[in-house]
C-alpha cells in the first residue's frame, strides 16, 4: 500500500470516528472548567473551595462539540434556504 493511500485511509477513519462521536455524544466537557461547572480556588489556609461559576458553559460543565456545531449550522442554513 502506498504512503498516500495509507494516509488517506487513516484520515478517513479518523474523520468517520469523529463524526460518529459527534452523532452519539454531541456534548463534551467544558475545556475551561474541565466539566465541573465552576473554578476551584484556595483560601489563605490552602483549603480548596468552590470558585465562581464558569461563564463559558453557564455552570453546566458541558459544551457542544465543534463538529456538532458545524452540522447544526449547516442544517439550519439548509432548512432556511429550502422554505
Amino acid at each position: 500500500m502506498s504512503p498516500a493511500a495509507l494516509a488517506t485511509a487513516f484520515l478517513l477513519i479518523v474523520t468517520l470516528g469523529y463524526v460518529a462521536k459527534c452523532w452519539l455524544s454531541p456534548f463534551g466537557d467544558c475545556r475551561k472548567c474541565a466539566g465541573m461547572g465552576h473554578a476551584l480556588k484556595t483560601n489563605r489556609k490552602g483549603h480548596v473551595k468552590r470558585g465562581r461559576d464558569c461563564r463559558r458553559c453557564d455552570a453546566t460543565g458541558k459544551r457542544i462539540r465543534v463538529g456538532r456545531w458545524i452540522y447544526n449550522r449547516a442544517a439550519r442554513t439548509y432548512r432556511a434556504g429550502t422554505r
Side-chain angles (χ1 to χ4, degrees), residues 38-81:
H38 57 83
L40 294 177
K41 67 179 195 175
T42 57
N43 61 9
R44 292 185 295 175
K45 294 181 180 179
H47 294 100
V48 178
K49 296 179 70 176
R50 185 183 197 280
R52 296 178 66 179
D53 287 344
C54 180
R55 295 186 313 178
R56 181 178 287 173
C57 65
D58 293 327
T60 61
K62 295 294 180 185
R63 65 167 177 85
I64 194 158
R65 294 187 194 277
V66 175
R68 186 60 182 215
W69 182 85
I70 291 170
Y71 171 76
N72 289 348
R73 181 64 55 105
R76 190 178 308 126
T77 302
Y78 177 76
R79 281 192 305 267

Side-chain angles (χ1 to χ4, degrees), residues 13-50:
I13 290 171
V14 169
T15 303
L16 291 177
Y18 184 69
V19 167
K21 185 168 184 125
C22 288
W23 181 58
L24 295 172
S25 176
F27 295 99
D29 289 339
C30 177
R31 290 185 296 254
K32 186 170 184 178
C33 64
M36 293 180 59
H38 57 83
L40 294 177
K41 67 179 195 175
T42 57
N43 61 9
R44 292 185 295 175
K45 294 181 180 179
H47 294 100
V48 178
K49 296 179 70 176
R50 185 183 197 280

Side-chain angles (χ1 to χ4, degrees), residues 1-13:
M1 188 174 238
S2 70
L6 189 62
T8 303
F10 176 74
L11 288 175
L12 184 65
I13 290 171

